[in-house]
Amino acid sequence: MRLPSVVRWILVVPSAIVAWYFALLVSALLFAFIVAPCMDSDSPQPYFCDAAWYPRQALFRGIYFFGAGLSAVLVVAVSVLVAPSHRPRVAWTAVATGAAIASVMTFRTDLFVVAVFAIACGVTTAVVVSRGSASLRSKVTRTDVVPNA
């Protein structure tokens, strides 16, 4: 195994952690700009917080689902992109690890449905990666047909 491959294998886990933190940052920024100004506080609230068209509670819950789904997709995708080989196996390992961590983090909380959504997003990403790598292998397979015969 060459040195660049070893380095890429070493960087799989740190890159997945960075992807998770990036999704957390994006979710926190969305929360800060969309929902947080309308939370009860002593400062004056923006005018749109009291509007009938502003679904504050739905946005509050939706950001949880968006952040969990984004983190699952990014962790699986980044892990696969960094890994030098065995990409479907890396994708499914990332899904299994993420599912275990999400289950432990949300056990006996009201966020368990969010964890199930994140697991579903991770599984969907792993299926796409697995099928993409299978179709890539099928395009490269050798045949006995003579071209231009």
Side-chain angles (χ1 to χ4, degrees):
M1 196 182 303
R2 297 179 326 193
L3 183 63
S5 294
V6 172
V7 170
R8 285 180 70 183
W9 277 119
I10 291 171
L11 290 177
V12 169
V13 174
S15 65
I17 294 170
V18 167
W20 187 83
Y21 274 109
F22 178 76
L24 179 68
L25 176 70
V26 168
S27 300
L29 288 175
L30 280 174
F31 183 83
F33 289 122
I34 295 175
V35 178
C38 297
M39 302 299 274
D40 295 330
S41 65
D42 294 335
S43 62
Q45 295 181 344
Y47 68 93
F48 61 85
C49 292
D50 296 325
W53 54 264
Y54 187 70
R56 179 178 19 186
Q57 203 58 23
L59 287 172
F60 184 73
R61 293 292 292 176
I63 288 176
Y64 281 141
F65 284 94
F66 174 78
L70 179 67
S71 68
V73 169
L74 285 179
V75 165
V76 173
V78 166
S79 297
V80 166
L81 289 174
V82 171
S85 61
H86 304 291
R87 292 184 174 184
R89 188 174 297 158
V90 169
W92 289 108
T93 303
V95 168
T97 306
I101 291 171
S103 299
V104 167
M105 286 177 66
T106 60
F107 183 67
R108 292 189 181 181
T109 65
D110 60 342
L111 297 176
F112 192 71
V113 177
V114 177
V116 171
F117 179 74
I119 293 168
C121 289
V123 166
T124 304
T125 306
V127 166
V128 168
V129 166
S130 296
R131 288 199 178 163
S133 112
S135 69
L136 193 73
R137 277 193 308 265
S138 68
K139 290 179 185 175
V140 181
T141 56
R142 296 180 53 94
T143 62
D144 293 332
V145 178
V146 177
N148 298 327

